[in-house]
């Protein structure tokens, strides 16, 4: 291991693996290490025995649940938006060749005491039971406005400057009611709380457009896609990309200790008595605990079931968003379900997750509104984990630390963090726009 | 898409660093050899269309991309393999001794449904080196090991001059084919996410 690298990456979480892949493709000499003997870190997927060991402290799961290896239980469940940043990154790097994807069956929102399908087009809005007939007309006009909106074409702006007009003001113009505002803001624009209402509307409109574009991308019943065998495939795919371009991989490296010079600048990493030198470190928060601060906790439940989530039209993969206001909370609650259809469980089994930013110390009680939607469960686990963000100055110490994964069931925040880190590390912006046009062109 | 199962066969190549795994792939698919050794860079997977009897197969041959050097292959690399090729260098006793570890690692990571009958093929490579005078693993010893592990087919090759490479891969294809047919895997419909063709060959000489 005694060697020199430009960048040493610690932890094989998805963020770290994407960065490792991008840097290796750029010709950077990368060493990537992890204390575990598997890829994924906090964002890995576990088989059944691993799940039992982590949450029950037992070596083996009950046999009636099926073969351990048939389970791929995500520790950070999230769906990918069809037109979103992660898909663009996959296409940009050609990592799609290592993966297989399937559309997610359903996208739902919990509003007015019911689980309801999220409409994202004027057509769907008209069919939806989410809104009464007059509200449908108003919402249809709003959706049409969003669909037509083009930042560069003032004729589509309807006389409003969306970089000044707030979301609340925009919505008031169309006279939408509180429940409609909730499902649009949380289940279409995917905001995690209500703060967006007082912000300029541009961001919300662009998010709504992303949702509609993602829905149209694969002409599915939801805007989301998800890999076969679960999300643990993604870190491995990007790690392989890095390896193909010369990245060196060392799993099962305990006690990766980051070394600094007198000036506080990173100089290398020591593990098992050997030191590798480097100019920069990229890592998840657990490898440099003194350089991060806690920013919250996530409460989560993981359930094994033998049926789809009720009221989702028998969806084998589904997201249900519960907007904060429906529960009198500060942030949304997310319900995510996948199944043997995506090869993450044996035939007939479903895996469901409920997660939210924790506001209490009792995950079981706090998550009840979400777990109540699941129906009967075969097994359920409750957990809380801390979230961290970096507080160091990368230009001083050359350490680039990722932020912990949030409770959302989609990847947009994750990739935004990665792209920001990439720019900090390299000084370059990653251009992800051309590739998608090429992809679209290929489809014509 | 059940037909996809019968036409796409995944073959993985395992063995210590430096035994010639990438060179074997390149010799078989591209009829090329490079004397310049670097721990594998740029090798990924290669595909080759193979006609067998009246059917056409796509053989997808996966290199380790160098991740085997520090035992850092992930479970995704192993998943869905139809045949596992174990490669050692006849001039390196250690690489032969490590075959046992590689076979065990494969069985753990891939968890085939019928481990006793999963098809392996063993290749002893670099028989050309020094005209054979630096050889340290005898053919007899290698064949005995293969017999003891369930009569694994055995080939001695030179990726450099192409000796026996075609024969070895014919055997690999035949065994992968049988394995691919026997497994009834649940294969959900998948969608095309990118512009890339997953069967496109990539890689360079190493």
């Amino acid at each position: 291991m005694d060697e020199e690298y430009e960048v040493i990456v610690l932890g094989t979480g998805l963020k770290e693996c994407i960065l490792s892949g991008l840097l290796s493709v750029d010709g950077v000499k990368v060493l990537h290490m992890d204390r575990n003997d598997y890829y994924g870190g906090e964002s890995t997927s576990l088989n059944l025995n691993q799940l039992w060991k982590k949450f029950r402290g037992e070596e083996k799961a009950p046999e009636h649940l099926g073969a351990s290896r048939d389970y791929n239980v995500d520790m950070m469940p999230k769906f990918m938006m069809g037109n979103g940043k992660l898909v663009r990154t996959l296409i940009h790097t050609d990592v799609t060749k290592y993966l297989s994807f399937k559309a997610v069956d359903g996208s739902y929102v919990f509003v007015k005491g019911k689980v309801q399908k999220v409409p994202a087009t004027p057509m769907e809005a008209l069919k939806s039971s989410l809104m009464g007939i007059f509200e449908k007309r108003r919402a249809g006009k709003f959706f049409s406005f969003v669909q037509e909106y083009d930042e560069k074409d003032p004729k589509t702006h309807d006389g409003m400057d969306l970089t000044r007009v707030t979301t609340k003001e925009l919505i008031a113009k169309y006279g939408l009611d509180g429940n409609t505002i909730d499902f649009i803001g949380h289940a279409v624009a995917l905001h995690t709380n209500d703060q967006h209402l007082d912000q300029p509307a541009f961001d919300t409109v662009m998010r709504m457009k992303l949702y509609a574009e993602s829905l149209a991308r694969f002409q599915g019943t939801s805007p989301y896609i998800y890999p076969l065998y679960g999300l643990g495939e993604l870190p491995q795919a990007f790690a392989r990309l890095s390896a193909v371009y010369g990245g060196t991989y060392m799993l099962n490296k305990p006690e990766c200790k980051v070394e600094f010079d007198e000036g506080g600048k990173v100089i290398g990493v020591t593990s098992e008595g050997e030191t590798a030198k480097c100019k920069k470190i990229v890592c998840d928060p657990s490898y440099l605990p003194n350089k991060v601060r806690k920013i919250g906790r996530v409460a989560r439940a993981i359930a094994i079931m033998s049926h789809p989530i009720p009221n989702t039209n028998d969806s084998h993969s589904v997201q249900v968003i519960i907007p904060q206001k429906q529960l009198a909370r500060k942030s949304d609650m997310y319900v995510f379900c996948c199944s043997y259809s995506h090869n993450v469980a044996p035939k007939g089994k479903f895996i469901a997750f409920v997660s939210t930013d924790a506001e209490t110390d009792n995950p079981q009680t706090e998550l009840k509104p979400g777990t109540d939607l699941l129906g009967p469960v075969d097994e359920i686990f409750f957990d809380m984990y801390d979230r961290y963000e970096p507080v160091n100055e990368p230009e001083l110490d050359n350490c680039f630390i990722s932020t912990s994964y949030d409770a959302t069931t989609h990847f947009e925040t994750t990739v935004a963090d990665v792209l920001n880190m990439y720019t900090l590390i390299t000084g370059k912006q990653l251009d992800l726009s051309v590739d998608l046009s090429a992809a679209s062109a290929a489809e014509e | 898409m059940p037909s996809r199962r019968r036409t796409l066969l995944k073959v993985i190549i395992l063995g210590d660093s430096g035994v010639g795994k990438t060179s074997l792939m390149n010799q078989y698919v591209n009829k090329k050899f490079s004397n310049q050794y670097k721990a594998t860079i740029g090798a990924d997977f290669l595909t080759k269309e193979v006609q067998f009897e009246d059917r056409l197969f796509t053989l997808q041959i996966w290199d380790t991309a160098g991740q085997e050097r520090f035992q850092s292959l992930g479970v995704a690399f192993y998943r869905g393999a139809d045949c596992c090729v174990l490669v050692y260098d006849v001039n390196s006793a250690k690489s032969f001794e490590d075959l046992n570890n590689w076979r065990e690692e494969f069985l753990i990571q891939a968890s085939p449904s019928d481990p006793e009958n999963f098809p392996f093929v063993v290749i002893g490579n670099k028989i050309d080196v020094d005209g054979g005078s630096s050889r340290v693993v005898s053919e007899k010893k290698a064949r005995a090991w293969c017999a003891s592990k369930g009569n694994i087919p055995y080939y001695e090759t030179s990726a450099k001059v192409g000796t026996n490479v075609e024969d070895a891969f014919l055997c690999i294809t035949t065994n992968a084919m049988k394995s691919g047919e026997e497994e009834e895997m649940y294969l959900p419909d998948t969608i095309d996410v990118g512009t890339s063709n997953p069967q496109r060959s990539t890689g360079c000489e190493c």
Side-chain angles (χ1 to χ4, degrees):
Chain A
M1 192 177 108
D2 301 294
E3 212 177 315
E4 265 187 63
Y5 298 86
E6 286 178 68
V7 175
I8 294 182
V9 183
L10 301 174
T12 56
L14 176 59
K15 295 184 182 186
E16 290 72 42
C17 287
I18 296 178
L19 286 164
S20 188
L22 294 173
L23 294 171
S24 296
V25 170
D26 284 352
V28 175
K29 188 174 181 185
V30 173
L31 169 62
H32 202 158
M33 302 166 69
D34 196 304
R35 63 172 76 85
N36 302 299
D37 64 354
Y38 55 82
Y39 285 95
E42 296 297 317
S43 56
T44 191
S45 299
L46 301 180
N47 62 41
L48 195 65
N49 288 337
Q50 289 170 324
L51 191 71
W52 234 254
K53 182 166 187 175
K54 182 179 172 76
F55 290 108
R56 295 278 164 85
E58 297 164 17
E59 284 297 320
K60 274 200 132 231
E63 283 188 7
H64 71 269
L65 292 174
S68 174
R69 73 169 189 275
D70 287 343
Y71 285 82
N72 294 287
V73 182
D74 298 330
M75 289 297 103
M76 295 293 163
K78 293 177 188 289
F79 289 140
M80 299 163 59
M81 298 204 76
N83 231 43
K85 296 187 186 79
L86 183 51
V87 170
R88 291 162 183 260
T89 305
L90 288 162
I91 294 171
H92 176 81
T93 55
D94 205 21
V95 161
T96 50
K97 67 190 173 189
Y98 303 131
L99 300 157
S100 295
F101 296 92
K102 191 179 176 187
V104 170
D105 288 345
S107 172
Y108 288 78
V109 65
F110 183 85
V111 164
K112 296 193 279 193
K114 287 167 59 184
V115 173
Q116 314 205 44
K117 175 90 169 56
V118 175
T121 63
M123 182 75 66
E124 266 208 328
L126 287 177
K127 294 177 186 169
S128 173
S129 59
L130 255 170
M131 300 171 281
I133 189 161
F134 296 111
E135 182 73 356
K136 280 182 186 179
R137 190 188 302 164
R138 291 188 288 265
K141 287 179 181 172
F142 181 58
F143 279 117
S144 293
F145 165 75
V146 168
Q147 197 164 306
E148 296 299 321
Y149 180 82
D150 178 350
E151 184 182 1
K152 299 185 176 84
D153 183 0
K155 293 198 300 294
T156 66
H157 296 181
D158 203 15
M160 291 178 286
D161 177 0
L162 294 191
T163 62
R164 295 177 182 276
V165 172
T166 64
T167 302
K168 187 182 290 180
E169 288 162 351
L170 173 64
I171 288 175
K173 181 177 164 66
Y174 288 89
L176 303 176
D177 78 20
N179 283 324
T180 305
I181 292 170
D182 254 10
F183 92 75
I184 289 175
H186 296 256
V188 178
L190 301 174
H191 289 294
T192 59
N193 52 52
D194 277 344
Q195 288 166 25
H196 66 286
L197 293 174
D198 296 313
Q199 301 296 318
F202 180 76
D203 179 51
T204 296
V205 168
M206 295 310 291
R207 285 163 168 252
M208 291 179 69
K209 287 177 78 72
L210 173 62
Y211 189 99
E213 288 158 6
S214 295
L215 196 66
R217 181 87 202 286
F218 301 109
Q219 276 120 50
T221 55
S222 89
Y224 304 110
I225 61 173
Y226 182 73
L228 299 190
Y229 302 103
L231 296 170
E233 297 294 285
L234 294 172
Q236 293 180 74
F238 282 103
R240 182 169 175 93
L241 173 73
S242 174
V244 165
Y245 281 86
T248 299
Y249 275 82
M250 296 185 182
L251 297 182
N252 214 11
K253 278 303 212 184
E255 204 78 42
C256 300
K257 184 170 184 291
V258 184
E259 313 280 358
F260 298 91
D261 66 14
E262 320 82 67
K265 196 161 287 250
V266 69
I267 56 174
V269 174
T270 298
S271 175
E272 297 180 313
E274 294 175 312
T275 300
K277 295 193 176 91
C278 66
K279 299 187 182 98
K280 297 175 182 176
I281 286 281
V282 175
C283 69
D284 74 49
S286 69
Y287 287 89
L288 284 173
N290 292 339
K291 291 178 180 281
V292 299
R293 74 170 160 218
K294 189 172 156 179
I295 54 173
R297 302 171 81 189
V298 173
R300 71 177 160 192
I302 301 170
I304 300 174
M305 314 189 303
S306 300
H307 56 82
I309 292 180
N311 305 309
T312 60
N313 197 34
D314 278 337
S315 295
H316 282 195
S317 48
V318 70
Q319 171 183 244
V320 183
I321 294 179
I322 310 178
Q324 59 166 106
K325 198 178 295 179
Q326 304 292 315
L327 301 174
R329 289 174 45 85
K330 294 195 189 76
S331 56
D332 295 356
M333 190 170 293
Y334 301 91
V335 182
F336 169 115
C337 179
C338 51
S339 74
Y340 63 97
S341 288
H342 276 91
N343 286 17
V344 295
K347 193 83 188 292
K349 291 299 191 196
F350 296 70
I351 312 291
F353 306 81
V354 183
S355 60
T356 188
D357 287 333
E359 295 169 15
T360 73
D361 284 334
N362 189 325
Q364 190 160 347
T365 302
E366 181 160 1
L367 295 168
K368 192 173 192 301
T371 55
D372 280 352
L373 298 183
L374 302 183
V377 303
D378 301 334
E379 297 284 349
I380 190 162
F381 311 91
F382 292 96
D383 186 37
M384 297 192 63
Y385 63 87
D386 294 326
R387 293 193 63 229
Y388 297 95
E389 70 177 4
V391 293
N392 66 312
E393 306 262 359
E395 62 271 15
L396 297 183
D397 57 12
N398 282 336
C399 297
F400 303 85
I401 307 170
S402 63
T403 300
S404 305
Y405 301 92
D406 59 23
T408 64
T409 55
H410 49 275
F411 274 109
E412 297 308 288
T413 51
T414 296
V415 181
D417 189 27
V418 169
L419 298 179
N420 186 58
M421 290 177 73
Y422 177 80
T423 300
L424 287 176
I425 297 162
T426 66
K428 296 189 288 185
Q429 291 278 340
L430 202 64
D431 180 8
L432 298 176
S433 56
V434 171
D435 309 273
L436 203 67
S437 306
S440 303
E443 285 167 19
E444 289 157 16
Chain B
M1 310 168 54
S3 63
R4 183 173 148 258
R5 185 64 197 168
R6 290 192 293 269
T7 56
L8 183 70
L9 301 170
K10 178 174 175 177
V11 172
I12 64 171
I13 305 197
L14 294 176
D16 282 359
S17 287
V19 296
K21 303 187 293 296
T22 307
S23 293
L24 280 164
M25 286 171 61
N26 273 310
Q27 178 61 259
Y28 175 58
V29 176
N30 298 321
K31 303 292 191 247
K32 287 178 181 173
F33 179 82
S34 166
N35 238 326
Q36 180 95 28
Y37 179 72
K38 278 186 186 177
T40 292
I41 291 181
D44 192 358
F45 61 82
L46 297 179
T47 58
K48 189 175 169 80
E49 301 295 321
V50 179
Q51 177 106 28
F52 192 84
E53 288 164 2
D54 59 351
R55 295 162 67 186
L56 198 66
F57 294 93
T58 302
L59 206 64
Q60 200 177 64
I61 309 167
W62 287 72
D63 202 344
T64 53
Q67 282 174 297
E68 83 286 10
R69 187 173 160 209
F70 299 104
Q71 290 85 49
S72 298
L73 289 160
V75 63
F77 172 79
Y78 293 94
R79 181 182 294 108
D82 296 299
C83 183
C84 178
V85 184
L86 303 170
V87 182
Y88 78 101
D89 176 350
V90 299
N91 312 284
S92 160
K94 179 181 192 302
S95 69
F96 176 70
E97 285 149 21
D98 284 346
L99 286 191
N100 211 57
N101 292 336
W102 283 117
R103 180 175 168 278
E104 293 300 317
E105 179 73 3
F106 174 84
L107 291 172
I108 290 167
Q109 298 286 0
S111 294
S113 52
D114 185 7
E116 309 303 318
N117 295 303
F118 187 87
F120 289 90
V121 174
V122 170
I123 292 180
N125 192 37
K126 302 197 186 185
I127 59 174
D128 59 289
V129 169
D130 294 337
S133 62
S134 57
R135 179 172 189 144
V136 296
V137 182
S138 71
E139 179 173 353
K140 180 179 179 182
K141 183 176 182 182
R143 287 196 180 276
W145 184 85
C146 290
S148 74
K149 298 296 175 182
N151 291 318
I152 298 176
Y154 178 69
Y155 291 84
E156 300 207 327
T157 63
S158 164
K160 182 171 186 177
V161 302
T163 306
N164 267 350
V165 171
E166 196 73 29
D167 289 346
F169 276 91
L170 177 60
C171 178
I172 290 162
T173 305
T174 306
N175 284 342
M177 219 167 56
K178 283 186 225 153
S179 173
E181 282 177 353
E182 281 153 20
E183 284 246 331
E184 285 207 26
M185 282 176 63
Y186 177 74
L187 264 192
D189 292 337
T190 56
I191 55 180
D192 181 9
V193 167
T195 53
S196 65
N197 182 339
Q199 296 173 19
R200 189 187 73 201
S201 300
T202 60
C204 64
E205 305 170 35
C206 284

